[in-house]
Amino acid sequence: LGDVYKRQELVTDDLEEAFFKSEKEQALRKAIQLLKPIQKERLIKYYFEGKSSRQIAKEEGVAYSAVDNSIATALKNLRKFLI
C-alpha cells in the first residue's frame, strides 16, 4: 500500500510540474507576441532555430552587432513582460 501512495504522489507531482510548465510556456508565448516584430523574428531565429547572430545578420544584410543588440533588448523586454 505504501508503494501505491508513493506512485500516486509521483503522478501528482508530475501533473503539477506539467501544469506549471504549461503555464510558463503560455506566458512566454504571450510575452514574445508583445515584442517588436524585428525583435521577435530575431529571437525566434536565434533561440528556436539555432542560428547565430552572424547568420541572422548575413540573411538580413545588417551588422551582427545590430542583431545582438536587438536580441538583448528583446530579452530585457521579455523579463519586464514576465515579472
Side-chain angles (χ1 to χ4, degrees), residues 55-72:
Q55 287 174 308
I56 297 167
K58 187 175 180 181
E59 288 174 6
E60 296 179 4
V62 299
Y64 77 89
S65 60
V67 174
D68 285 342
N69 290 337
S70 182
I71 292 170

Side-chain angles (χ1 to χ4, degrees), residues 1 8 16 19 22 24 42 53 60 67 72 82:
L1 197 57
Q8 188 176 8
E16 286 179 15
F19 175 77
S22 174
K24 288 178 185 179
R42 289 173 176 169
S53 57
E60 296 179 4
V67 174
L82 293 170

Side-chain angles (χ1 to χ4, degrees), residues 2-48:
D3 287 340
V4 172
Y5 288 122
K6 285 180 186 176
R7 279 189 228 138
Q8 188 176 8
E9 286 177 20
L10 289 174
V11 170
T12 301
D13 290 346
D14 288 346
L15 289 173
E16 286 179 15
E17 185 178 325
F19 175 77
F20 288 118
K21 182 179 178 184
S22 174
E23 274 192 343
K24 288 178 185 179
E25 288 174 358
Q26 287 177 359
L28 180 58
R29 283 190 190 101
K30 286 179 184 178
I32 288 172
Q33 294 304 317
L34 296 173
L35 295 173
K36 291 181 181 179
I38 193 69
Q39 292 174 348
K40 178 179 154 183
E41 290 171 23
R42 289 173 176 169
L43 189 80
I44 289 170
K45 287 179 183 179
Y46 187 80
Y47 283 102
F48 297 100

